[in-house]
Amino acid sequence: MANDLRDKGIEIANDAVRDDNAGNYEDAINKYCKAAEYLMTATKYEKNPVTLKTIREKSLEYVQRAEALKQGLAGKGAGGKKAGGGGGSKEEEEESEDDDVEPEPLTEEQLAKAEAEMKEELSKLIGMESVKKQMEQLCKQLSLDIRRRAEGHNTLDAIRHMMFTGNPGVGKTTVSRLVARLYHQLGVSAKDSVVEVQKGDLVAGYVNQTAMKTAKKIKEARGGILFVDEAYQLTQALQRGQSDFSGEAIDEMMKVMNETGRKSVTFVFAGYKKEMDEFVQYNAGLESRIKYRFHFDDYTVPDLCKIVNIKIKAKGYKMTADAEKNLNAIIDKNTTADLRSKYNGRLTDNLLQWAADCMNQRLDLTASGEQLITLTKDDLSEAIKKFQLARPPQKKDPALLGGEQVEQQFKMWGIQHLSAFFVRAGYRQLVDLIHLSKQDIMALGVTKDAEVRRAVQLVERLKQEHRKESLEMDALFVDPDSVDVKTWLEKRSLGEFAKLFERHRVDFEVLGDLTYEDLKEMGLNEVGPRRRIHRQIVQWRDDREAKKADAIRSRMQVQENKAYLESQQQNVDDRLQHLKASLGESGYVTGLRPSSG
């Protein structure tokens, strides 16, 4: 089947990755090409459109990497970072380990200054009362640890990783930068930088590459903070028992989470409360390594008013006294708690942008002085209405990325508002949905009877389509030694029943579905012959998958020999050109785009 060709292609690609990492770039180029050739052959037999898209994406990745290596070998840097793409030499890494000298311990004056600066920074944060309290406790603990070490005492716990939970726009990224500055000022970390990543920055589409991508980001964040946004995406597929390379990313992070010292990485995992609770429960070792847990509440209306005032002053603008007095009422009456929860801090950005647009429409070209920078009550009242009439473009919820196919399918069925339940739970491809039962759908949060019925109908339809594609694949690969059912019967010493099967128009597409009762209805009333035929059908049906696999393996061997001969006759440029042409003919790409892996 196409699965065999695909698996063989990925197996060769994994060998290519190993050669790539080892610096055997010429071997890696040939193997990347061969892997892509296998996958492109697999597309000829693959019927599932979702899988077909994935296979072509893999082919594109391998072609891109082969081209990058070929270009690297053509230049001077073939053996270094540019060609290998996997980092510098061991000597370079060891050299970077020694380029940061341990600083002198903080003096009492320096410590007091750092504490005062952090207290001042915390006072600037709007809302976040519980977070600010936890930050003050953290600052106090770190300060006491510094004093303990200064007096020659040990500290009890060096783990400093964190989990931030809350809705978008509540300041999780802002506080992570504050933590980075605090750690740096107190000498806990070597840098005050924050490297922000999501699942796509860590996870690749095939074995070994995920570990490489994650290790690269960890190295980039050394001495500072690695902020993993929407971290729960790393475990959703794994928790459902589905194959996913995210486990490699988690394993790679856990390898370094017990490291201590100024140059170690501090991990901050962030996301929605419910999903993040499930994330840490996935692995007991992961949960034990996260010491601090901060929950960010949604901003209240008074909080949003304070943020608006701060941003207006920062831009050098003003509000009329009437606008400032009514700002709280304007926001409270024209937005719902649900809408504010969805936007949080971003609500203030949109409000001010639209209020400025209203001001520009109101003013004429002769305006001057403070008229040009003063927002009125009417400006704000008109602007706030746009949240209900014309929602602004927003950054898509990261939890829903990659679920476009599912969203489109739900839209076709008129229940697009339910797609988020499924995509957020990790059901991002249509093939993921075919295993869902009615109980599974209700467990995802679909509660209204009509919506449950609609979702069940959608899933059933997808199951039917999947079944149809499976049967079409079965029709392609039947017993290679039997041209028809008559021959099949004769080979099994059952030729006397050929006319009966012909009369009932039994062919290979229905042979495997015949039951013991079906045979009786066909006129096989005698128990002996009926059982004999049924046993042969059951055996044939059970053996059919193996026979199909054998047939494909034979084709695969022919293809491998053909690819080998072609590789001897063609140079790398010809092979890459042929692969790119094949991808173009498939309608998938017209040119190579930057690789994601």
Side-chain angles (χ1 to χ4, degrees), residues 234-513:
L234 293 171
T235 59
Q236 284 182 324
L238 298 171
Q239 287 169 326
R240 296 202 318 269
Q242 294 182 336
S243 176
D244 193 292
F245 293 113
S246 300
E248 291 182 28
I250 295 173
D251 292 342
E252 198 68 24
M253 289 188 286
M254 288 181 63
K255 287 179 184 177
V256 300
M257 288 182 74
N258 282 336
E259 292 180 359
T260 59
R262 297 177 65 253
K263 298 175 187 176
S264 61
V265 179
T266 298
F267 291 87
V268 176
F269 300 100
Y272 294 98
K273 178 72 168 65
K274 176 179 177 292
E275 287 82 352
M276 289 304 296
D277 288 342
E278 295 171 351
F279 166 72
V280 295
Q281 291 171 8
Y282 167 75
N283 187 303
L286 182 64
E287 184 173 16
S288 66
R289 286 168 170 80
I290 298 174
K291 181 176 182 181
Y292 304 102
R293 301 192 183 189
F294 291 30
H295 180 68
F296 294 69
D297 293 319
D298 292 331
Y299 287 119
T300 64
V301 172
D303 290 338
L304 294 173
C305 291
K306 291 177 184 177
I307 295 173
V308 167
N309 277 286
I310 290 172
K311 289 183 175 180
I312 283 180
K313 291 178 183 177
K315 294 291 185 181
Y317 279 64
K318 297 180 178 180
M319 282 189 291
T320 62
D322 192 27
E324 190 167 357
K325 179 181 178 181
N326 288 278
L327 179 60
N328 190 301
I330 289 172
I331 295 176
D332 189 33
K333 292 179 180 179
N334 293 278
T335 62
T336 64
D338 182 62
L339 185 144
R340 294 192 294 271
S341 175
K342 184 177 181 180
Y343 282 82
N344 278 299
R346 293 200 296 268
L347 183 145
T348 61
D349 294 323
N350 290 321
L351 176 61
L352 291 177
Q353 177 186 336
W354 290 334
D357 291 341
C358 293
M359 177 179 65
N360 291 334
Q361 293 174 8
R362 172 174 53 81
L363 296 174
D364 56 41
L365 294 177
T366 61
S368 61
E370 291 197 350
Q371 288 180 319
L372 295 169
I373 58 171
T374 304
L375 298 173
T376 67
K377 175 185 173 183
D378 289 341
D379 294 334
L380 294 167
S381 297
E382 277 303 309
I384 200 77
K385 293 177 183 177
K386 293 192 177 183
F387 281 101
Q388 298 174 348
L389 301 177
R391 296 287 177 85
Q394 300 181 71
K395 176 183 176 183
K396 186 169 182 178
D397 180 355
L400 304 180
L401 293 177
E404 291 78 10
Q405 289 183 338
V406 171
E407 291 173 357
Q408 182 64 29
Q409 188 72 205
F410 274 73
K411 184 176 181 180
M412 290 170 57
W413 284 73
I415 48 175
Q416 56 267 31
H417 59 287
L418 298 180
S419 63
F421 290 105
F422 293 78
V423 177
R424 193 184 298 282
Y427 296 91
R428 290 182 170 79
Q429 297 183 351
L430 297 182
V431 291
D432 295 335
L433 300 176
I434 65 174
H435 305 292
L436 290 172
S437 65
K438 179 179 179 181
Q439 290 72 25
D440 295 330
I441 292 171
M442 295 177 67
L444 290 174
V446 183
T447 56
K448 295 181 179 179
D449 290 343
E451 293 180 343
V452 171
R453 285 196 299 272
R454 198 71 172 153
V456 169
Q457 290 173 349
L458 183 156
V459 170
E460 288 300 322
R461 180 58 182 162
L462 289 175
K463 288 180 181 179
Q464 291 173 8
E465 292 177 1
H466 187 270
R467 169 73 173 165
K468 179 182 177 183
E469 291 172 0
S470 177
L471 291 175
E472 288 176 355
M473 288 296 292
D474 287 343
L476 288 176
F477 302 103
V478 296
D479 189 339
D481 297 328
S482 299
V483 294
D484 52 33
V485 174
K486 178 182 178 181
T487 307
W488 183 88
L489 289 166
E490 291 173 348
K491 283 179 58 179
R492 290 157 177 79
S493 302
L494 299 171
E496 61 187 289
F497 303 103
K499 290 185 178 180
L500 177 65
F501 275 64
E502 183 180 353
R503 186 165 64 251
H504 287 277
R505 297 181 181 180
V506 176
D507 57 18
F508 284 118
E509 291 187 27
V510 298
L511 180 64
D513 294 326

Side-chain angles (χ1 to χ4, degrees), residues 45-58:
Y45 305 104
E46 181 57 60
K47 300 295 183 181
N48 189 309
V50 179
T51 306
L52 194 61
K53 177 177 179 292
T54 302
I55 292 175
R56 287 172 177 158
E57 286 176 346
K58 296 288 179 244

Side-chain angles (χ1 to χ4, degrees), residues 543-597:
D543 290 345
R544 182 171 54 179
E545 291 300 319
K547 290 182 178 180
K548 287 191 295 184
D550 288 340
I552 286 296
R553 273 194 288 273
S554 298
R555 297 187 187 190
M556 184 180 68
Q557 187 62 47
V558 171
Q559 179 64 27
E560 184 173 11
N561 293 336
K562 180 182 177 182
Y564 175 77
L565 291 173
E566 288 179 349
S567 69
Q568 303 304 307
Q569 298 167 357
Q570 298 176 311
N571 59 31
V572 171
D573 287 330
D574 291 338
R575 294 175 73 191
L576 288 173
Q577 193 64 34
H578 176 72
L579 284 166
K580 287 191 288 185
S582 297
L583 284 165
E585 289 170 3
S586 72
Y588 183 58
V589 290
T590 55
L592 291 179
R593 62 174 184 252
S595 173
S596 61

Side-chain angles (χ1 to χ4, degrees), residues 102 140 142 204 318 501 517:
E102 285 289 329
K140 180 179 180 181
L142 295 175
K318 297 180 178 180
F501 275 64
E517 292 301 317

